[in-house]
Amino acid sequence: MEFSSKLIESAVNEFSKLPGIGKKTALRLVLHLLKQDENFTTDIAQSLIDMRQNIKYCKKCHNISDEEVCNICKSHKRDNSIICLVEDTRDVLAIENTSQYNGLYHVLGGIISPIEGIGPEDLTIDSLMERVSSAESEVKEIIFGLSPTMEGDTTAFYISKKVKQLGIKTSTIARGIPIGGELEYADEITLGRSIVSRTAYE
């Protein structure tokens, strides 16, 4: 791709480093910004700088936060007896958007994956154990909100062995056929788990 301006080329190259953004899309975005009022572009740039310089991670659950302790952990309306264990912040957002969960979270920062060189020590598992074993802990159940992959299952198995020694109940989010899905298109593992984890019909 040939550019008439080195400044445009530089901007396009930076935008194209974003996931899902190719050179053509990057060029379209850059040209769009160029047509906008200068304040529009400046506001975007400043918000990104502010995010990188001021973002924090909650010292309790490791979720992205503006303060030392996130709003979820500080809330008096949340159920402190349940922690949902997730891989990253995107999972917290997804669960929160359902409005069906009122407990706390713990963000692992990944899952155990020997192939990628990620072990238990690379995750926030030690922090979780300190959190649930402390004298002031009210935690009675940990929900594994991890992806239904071999790595997700390995991570859940590893952590469940550690927390069960503390007498804490463990559970996992239900896995099965999505609403509106057809059985013939479901993979064997999902279908099998759906049958094993069947619920009473009311």
Side-chain angles (χ1 to χ4, degrees), residues 5-17 26-27 30:
S5 164
K6 289 291 183 184
L7 294 173
I8 293 291
E9 182 178 4
S10 175
V12 167
N13 287 337
E14 293 305 313
F15 269 94
S16 64
K17 292 176 183 177
L27 177 60
V30 169

Side-chain angles (χ1 to χ4, degrees), residues 90-120:
R90 289 173 297 181
D91 301 321
V92 173
L93 295 173
I95 294 172
E96 282 297 286
N97 285 335
T98 67
S99 301
Q100 299 296 310
Y101 177 69
N102 193 42
L104 302 178
Y105 294 92
H106 190 89
V107 180
L108 288 173
I111 49 179
I112 296 172
S113 177
I115 294 176
E116 295 180 18
I118 302 173

